[in-house]
Amino acid sequence: MKITEVISHVLQYELPEELGYSQQYYARRTAHLVEVRTDEGISGWGECFGPGNVAVANKTIVEKVIQPMVLGCDPLDRDVIWHNVYNLLRDHGQKGMPIQALSGVDIALWDLSGKIAGMPISKLIGGAHRDRVAVYGYGMMLRREDMPSLTSRFSDEATSIRAAGFVATKMKVGLGPADDIKLATAVRKGVGDDFPFMVDANHCYTTSDAFRVGRALDELDAYWFEEPIAPEDLDGYRELRAGLKLNISGGEAEFTRWGWRHLLEGRCVDIAQPEVCALGGISEYLKVLALAHAHFTPVINHVWGSAIAVATNLQLLAAMPPMPGGLHPREPMLEFDTTDNRFRDDLLMEPLNIQQQVASNGGYVNIPDGPGLGVEPDREFIRKYTLDV
Ligand code: CA
């Protein structure tokens, strides 16, 4: 079998309401799907992390830079293809968009490999440690509201995410330490004392501000503090991890085994959050996972994007060994964005129905066991939302 075409589908729609995190407000949702076609008529699907115009730029890298490197290759030669492409891109970007672009292509090759073998990706990796996974729901995005309405909305949203069946919840911050502490207090009030909640700063603080917020989060018994500071500031991460009680998490903006090596060797995070659609795809994710476990660092994947990204992560979560093992080991969770996302809910021929499963299965979702990713996108839906670029 030979690769005949690599196509990027950039999808976009206007959100019903603007959403925000500590870096920006945004009004459109974008997804970047990669389709690898073969001479035997089978296609594999992948996804590249990167919103808005980043997806448009990544499409050019996928189609104009990577595609010519892989045409005619056997899609089963995933690791050979990965290293050939990486070696040619290395001089032009060892992090960021070239690696995001490679990620989508690599995931599509894994989907193809599973379809060729007639088995799910989890089986290709080495087997499923679990057939279902618990789901945490994130919400509580920033909006252009005043503090009284933000705090009451955060509290209400936290209550409703718990009521929807999720096993934990995650909020955004980013207004500055004093207001962020008020928002976290509102979320604790909304979920009650006995429910885990996490706080995602999207690297908006200095280390000293992160300490101020982190000490308040310790008092509120928050479970983890995500990307408190800039991902480049490894010394800051190490200091926060040593000085705060709650878990420090991060890594969604880190790439490849070589980037992750420094984060892990530096003992910078309690919980590693690799993003498979950005760090180099499934081939590279597996190396990062091994590296994390070699440093006894638990992994809870960062998940963002369409149903293709969610399905990819479900396969990886199935195949993730417990770390450490035990009779009742600490299990991974699926990250799930509770805000409006048609590309996740309506993209597939047979939808994953995460919210419905969470509501009826005590916070758990089943892992698809069909070949490859175990899901197939609806081409009519893709046509309808494809951005003309
Ligand atoms: Ca995050």
Side-chain angles (χ1 to χ4, degrees):
M1 194 179 291
K2 284 183 169 34
I3 297 170
T4 54
E5 217 173 344
V6 182
I7 302 162
S8 277
H9 305 272
V10 177
L11 317 183
Q12 196 169 74
Y13 75 93
E14 297 281 336
L15 287 164
E17 55 195 339
E18 194 182 53
L19 299 171
Y21 61 105
S22 69
Q23 303 298 328
Q24 63 181 329
Y25 294 100
Y26 58 98
R28 294 190 183 110
R29 189 174 296 286
T30 314
H32 177 183
L33 309 184
V34 175
E35 179 185 1
V36 175
R37 294 185 179 168
T38 64
D39 60 354
E40 293 187 25
I42 313 174
S43 281
W45 293 90
E47 180 160 352
C48 303
F49 181 79
N53 292 331
V54 173
V56 176
N58 280 341
K59 174 182 166 75
T60 304
I61 301 176
V62 168
E63 293 184 345
K64 307 287 189 206
V65 183
I66 297 177
Q67 177 176 231
M69 298 174 183
V70 305
L71 289 180
C73 293
D74 182 339
L76 289 171
D77 291 344
R78 303 175 299 269
D79 205 54
V80 175
I81 290 171
W82 195 96
H83 286 91
N84 285 344
V85 172
Y86 184 80
N87 286 338
L88 290 167
L89 291 177
R90 176 182 265 141
D91 294 9
H92 315 288
Q94 297 147 16
K95 299 189 182 206
M97 294 198 290
I99 308 302
Q100 291 170 348
L102 172 55
S103 301
V105 176
D106 178 81
I107 294 166
L109 295 179
W110 277 85
D111 185 33
L112 267 171
S113 299
K115 286 170 173 165
I116 293 165
M119 50 182 75
I121 287 170
S122 63
K123 184 73 88 179
L124 290 184
I125 292 171
H129 290 270
R130 53 193 70 76
D131 58 11
R132 58 181 211 149
V133 66
V135 187
Y136 80 87
Y138 95 70
M140 285 111 15
M141 307 284 291
L142 302 181
R143 285 189 209 148
R144 296 177 213 259
E145 298 167 330
D146 59 17
M147 270 308 281
S149 68
L150 266 176
T151 46
S152 76
R153 182 171 60 80
F154 270 43
S155 183
D156 292 347
E157 220 176 302
T159 305
S160 62
I161 287 173
R162 178 174 185 171
F166 292 99
V167 301
T169 190
K170 188 167 85 182
M171 63 180 291
K172 295 292 190 190
V173 287
L175 304 174
D179 284 345
D180 290 343
I181 291 166
K182 287 181 194 153
L183 291 178
T185 307
V187 166
R188 171 50 87 203
K189 191 160 152 265
V191 292
D193 289 337
D194 55 346
F195 192 76
F197 86 99
M198 295 81 84
V199 178
D200 188 358
N202 296 96
H203 49 74
C204 66
Y205 299 127
T206 61
T207 302
S208 63
D209 281 350
F211 265 112
R212 180 174 163 198
V213 175
R215 286 189 189 106
L217 296 180
D218 276 344
E219 291 303 307
L220 293 167
D221 195 24
Y223 181 42
W224 78 57
F225 193 8
E226 178 168 328
E227 285 200 301
I229 56 174
E232 305 95 310
D233 184 7
L234 300 187
D235 292 333
Y237 272 90
R238 206 162 23 243
E239 289 163 17
L240 289 167
R241 190 174 173 222
L244 294 171
K245 281 187 282 183
L246 85 172
N247 294 294
I248 301 298
S249 72
E252 66 181 83
E254 195 49 83
F255 297 83
T256 76
R257 72 199 88 161
W258 299 289
W260 273 93
R261 173 187 164 189
H262 299 295
L263 196 64
L264 292 162
E265 278 179 350
R267 304 199 65 74
C268 300
V269 290
D270 293 288
I271 295 168
Q273 296 171 301
E275 169 50 70
V276 64
C277 300
L279 67 77
I282 294 174
S283 299
E284 197 61 8
Y285 167 92
L286 294 173
K287 296 176 172 77
V288 168
L289 176 69
L291 205 54
H293 283 186
H295 289 83
F296 297 95
T297 305
V299 172
I300 299 183
N301 297 349
H302 179 261
V303 183
W304 187 88
S306 82
I308 297 295
V310 175
T312 304
N313 277 283
L314 285 172
Q315 291 299 317
L316 298 177
L317 290 167
M320 185 190 293
M323 203 296 299
L327 185 57
H328 301 290
R330 183 173 283 271
E331 289 283 332
M333 291 189 283
L334 174 73
E335 174 170 12
F336 186 84
D337 171 5
T338 64
T339 64
D340 191 272
N341 189 341
R342 283 180 216 167
F343 300 149
R344 187 195 52 223
D345 297 344
D346 305 329
L347 171 70
L348 301 179
M349 302 296 288
E350 289 175 44
L352 292 165
N353 291 329
I354 305 268
Q355 296 94 320
Q356 293 86 332
Q357 290 194 62
V358 163
S360 55
N361 300 341
Y364 280 78
V365 61
N366 293 322
I367 292 161
D369 57 5
L373 293 170
V375 299
E376 206 55 41
D378 176 352
R379 288 183 184 275
E380 201 46 53
F381 180 92
I382 290 176
R383 252 189 295 280
K384 185 172 161 196
Y385 287 98
T386 294
L387 192 63
D388 194 16
V389 288

